[in-house]
């Protein structure tokens, strides 16, 4: 009965989220409790399940809150502006250079792990340049979302934080193991930029240097010369502070969530001397920080119930019994290989909080390292998040670029899937994903 209830619970959560009947927060808070009551557990037992579940996600939720606030303030203070300005100036009106710079700028901008912020900064800045050189909007979107997808595995990003919460593995540990795969991904996206850039350059030359596309009347325009000034001591202090946090991340000298907690306090003092300005800075980014943290804490209830009530074990053993012999060792690789299409059907919350726990338990029961399961599922879903119709920031991206969703998906999805498959193969060869 517990196994059947577990499957019913997971299917109900996925279907209701996909049909947009309830929010993930509501699903994670209410449905697991109802399932436990139906299974005959009393309120005291359910409370213990919830408490244990919250213990597993609390550090990750804390990391996400403070990292989003920290990077939001760094972005407002112009930490990345000098590099972005330099890259934009280096194109000199060549489509190939513009394509390469698109990948570089997006990769730098997406270090904060926030898709919406990246799209807001990069797409309006580069769109006029693309149109002036006759480069298509679909090409811009393709390179931006693929670059952001590869970079999206940073430990303070939403996807890695979700995987960390589900597996109980520290987010920074997951990311460090994925850095070589990110490097492979960036090389692949840069190679794609070179290919598309050369094609656009030939087209531009064939048209006598005339643009073949024109900006819509309401296309966003950005004057990159008006970026925030950075030639002051605060800029260098912010750079040193961020470098210190990254050193702590790689050395493990201080818990990552604690690094961002302390770093946020220092950043507020450095950049906003007055109390009112500090409060305004926090309020400006509080919504982004709290929305994901609330979902994570709510997911702690789901994870606690799945483990405490024995649903995870029951579902895992049932799946192992029906799978062909030996296939359980490969299930995470198979799911990872289909990460792009699955990410177009499952919202990130459903993918990581509903699908990953089941795949994790099946693979772990077959002797697979849980970190390998998380890595395999992170690679595919992250690479394709920018073409998923169930990711809200995608609609922001296509709106900023003036591209219809179906045209964006048609142009980008096969590139995204191909890159994710090569990255996954590299992960298996390098031992980042084991079987």
């Amino acid at each position: 009965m517990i196994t059947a209830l577990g499957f019913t619970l997971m299917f109900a959560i996925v279907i209701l989220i996909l049909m947009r009947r309830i929010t993930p927060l509501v699903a994670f808070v209410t449905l697991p409790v109802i399932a436990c009551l139906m299974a005959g557990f009393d309120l005291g037992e359910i409370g213990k399940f919830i408490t244990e579940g919250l213990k597993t996600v609390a550090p990750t939720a804390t990391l996400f809150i403070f990292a989003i606030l920290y990077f939001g303030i760094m972005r407002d203070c112009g930490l990345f502006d000098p590099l972005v300005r330099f890259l934009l100036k280096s194109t000199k009106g060549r489509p190939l250079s513009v394509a390469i710079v698109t990948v570089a700028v997006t990769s730098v901008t997406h270090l904060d792990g926030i898709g919406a912020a990246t799209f807001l900064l990069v797409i309006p800045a580069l769109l006029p340049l693309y149109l002036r050189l006759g480069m298509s909007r679909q090409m811009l979107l393709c390179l931006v979302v693929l670059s952001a997808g590869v970079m999206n595995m940073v430990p303070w990003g939403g996807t890695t934080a979700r995987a960390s919460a589900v597996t109980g593995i520290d987010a920074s540990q997951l990311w460090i193991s994925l850095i070589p795969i990110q490097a492979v991904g960036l090389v692949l996206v840069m190679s794609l930029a070179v290919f598309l850039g050369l094609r656009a350059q030939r087209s531009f030359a064939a048209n006598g240097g005339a643009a073949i596309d024109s900006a819509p009347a309401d296309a966003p325009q950005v004057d990159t010369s008006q970026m925030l000034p950075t030639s002051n001591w605060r800029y260098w202090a912010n750079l040193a502070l961020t470098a210190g946090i990254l050193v702590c991340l790689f050395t493990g000298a201080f818990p990552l969530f604690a690094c961002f907690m302390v770093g946020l306090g220092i950043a507020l003092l450095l950049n906003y001397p007055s109390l009112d300005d500090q409060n305004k800075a926090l309020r400006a980014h509080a919504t982004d920080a709290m929305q994901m943290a609330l979902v994570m804490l709510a997911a702690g209830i789901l994870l606690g119930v799945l483990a405490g009530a024995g649903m995870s074990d029951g579902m895992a053993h049932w799946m192992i019994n029906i799978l062909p012999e030996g296939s359980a060792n490969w299930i995470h690789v198979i799911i990872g290989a289909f990460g792009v299409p699955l990410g177009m059907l499952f919202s990130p919350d459903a993918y990581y909080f509903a699908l990953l726990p089941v795949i994790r338990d099946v693979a772990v029961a077959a002797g697979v390292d849980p970190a390998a399961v998380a890595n395999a599922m992170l690679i595919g879903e992250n690479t394709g998040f920018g073409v998923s119709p169930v990711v809200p920031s995608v609609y922001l991206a296509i709106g900023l670029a003036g591209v219809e969703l179906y045209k964006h998906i048609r142009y980008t999805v096969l590139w995204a899937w191909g890159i994710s498959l090569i990255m996954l193969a590299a992960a298996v060869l390098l031992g980042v994903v084991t079987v």
Side-chain angles (χ1 to χ4, degrees):
M1 178 181 175
I2 287 294
T3 301
L5 268 176
F7 279 113
T8 302
L9 171 63
M10 302 309 286
F11 282 130
I13 288 175
V14 171
I15 291 171
L16 289 172
I17 291 176
L18 290 179
M19 293 178 65
R20 299 180 182 273
R21 297 293 184 184
I22 57 177
T23 67
L25 188 148
V26 173
F28 298 154
V29 167
T30 58
L31 297 182
V33 175
I34 293 171
C36 276
L37 291 173
M38 291 175 64
F41 292 101
D42 61 39
L43 293 179
E45 292 172 311
I46 298 172
K48 291 179 181 178
F49 300 159
I50 292 173
T51 300
E52 291 303 312
L54 289 174
K55 288 179 181 178
T56 64
V57 302
T60 303
T62 304
L63 165 65
F64 197 87
I65 291 171
F66 285 91
I68 294 303
L69 291 172
Y70 178 85
F71 279 112
I73 288 170
M74 290 297 107
R75 190 170 60 249
D76 290 346
C77 294
L79 181 65
F80 305 120
D81 288 353
L83 181 57
V84 171
R85 274 204 303 271
F86 168 77
L87 291 172
L88 289 175
K89 288 179 180 178
S90 68
T91 63
K92 297 181 180 177
R94 294 189 298 266
L96 174 59
S97 299
V98 171
I100 292 171
V101 163
T102 300
V103 176
V105 169
T106 306
S107 300
V108 171
T109 305
H110 201 67
L111 283 172
D112 63 1
I114 306 174
T118 298
F119 300 150
L120 281 168
L121 286 169
V122 176
I123 294 174
L126 291 177
L127 181 60
L129 189 56
Y130 267 71
L131 298 178
R132 195 177 307 131
L133 297 175
M135 302 168 71
S136 73
R137 299 183 187 90
Q138 289 96 317
M139 176 180 167
L140 169 62
L141 270 180
C142 175
L143 295 178
V144 168
V145 301
L146 292 182
S147 303
V150 171
M151 292 302 298
N152 209 43
M153 302 176 202
V154 291
W156 44 83
T159 54
T160 307
R162 289 179 179 95
S164 171
V166 171
T167 59
I169 302 169
D170 187 75
S172 59
Q173 182 181 337
L174 286 175
W175 180 52
I176 289 172
S177 68
L178 284 168
I179 288 176
I181 310 307
Q182 276 187 300
V184 172
L186 285 175
V187 170
L188 292 170
V189 178
M190 193 64 78
S191 301
L192 176 61
V194 171
F195 170 75
L196 296 177
L198 287 172
R199 189 169 68 178
Q201 196 153 289
R202 287 193 296 267
S203 177
F204 186 60
N207 282 274
I212 58 174
D213 198 1
S214 59
D218 59 347
Q221 302 289 326
V222 170
D223 181 1
T224 58
S225 67
Q226 299 301 315
M227 291 183 178
L228 290 172
T230 56
S231 56
N232 56 60
W233 68 269
R234 283 194 176 90
Y235 174 79
W236 298 108
N238 288 331
L239 184 62
L241 177 60
T242 304
I245 289 175
L246 293 177
V247 168
C248 288
L249 186 156
F250 284 107
T251 61
F254 203 46
L256 189 56
F257 68 88
C259 289
F260 280 106
M261 292 176 77
V262 176
L264 176 63
I266 297 172
L268 287 170
L269 289 173
L270 278 175
N271 297 286
Y272 305 100
S274 78
L275 180 61
D276 286 343
D277 287 343
Q278 291 175 14
N279 287 330
K280 286 178 183 177
L282 290 173
R283 284 196 297 268
H285 304 285
T287 300
D288 289 336
M290 290 307 299
Q291 280 182 342
M292 187 62 218
L294 288 173
V295 172
M296 281 190 176
L297 292 172
I301 296 178
L302 171 64
L303 298 174
V305 164
L306 288 174
M311 295 179 185
S312 290
D313 288 342
M315 289 188 289
H317 286 103
W318 184 85
M319 290 185 70
I320 289 173
N321 289 335
I322 66 169
L323 287 170
E325 186 176 353
S327 62
N329 296 75
W330 289 89
I331 190 170
H332 58 302
V333 179
I334 295 169
I335 296 297
F338 286 92
V340 171
L342 285 173
M344 299 177 71
L345 299 174
F346 291 85
S347 70
D349 292 315
Y351 184 87
Y352 289 101
F353 291 134
L355 183 60
L356 175 55
V358 178
I359 303 303
R360 172 204 62 192
D361 290 335
V362 172
V364 170
V368 178
D369 185 348
V373 180
N375 289 339
M377 293 186 66
L378 277 165
I379 291 168
E381 193 275 338
N382 271 298
T383 308
F385 94 93
V387 295
S388 174
V390 296
V391 173
S393 62
V394 170
Y395 295 93
L396 173 64
I398 64 174
L400 289 169
V403 176
E404 294 180 67
L405 180 62
Y406 82 93
K407 290 183 178 179
H408 170 50
I409 292 175
R410 187 174 62 189
Y411 188 98
T412 305
V413 67
L414 292 181
W415 293 119
W417 199 358
I419 287 172
S420 76
L421 290 174
I422 297 173
M423 290 172 65
L424 182 61
V428 173
L429 291 173
L430 294 174
V432 175
V433 173
T434 56
V435 294

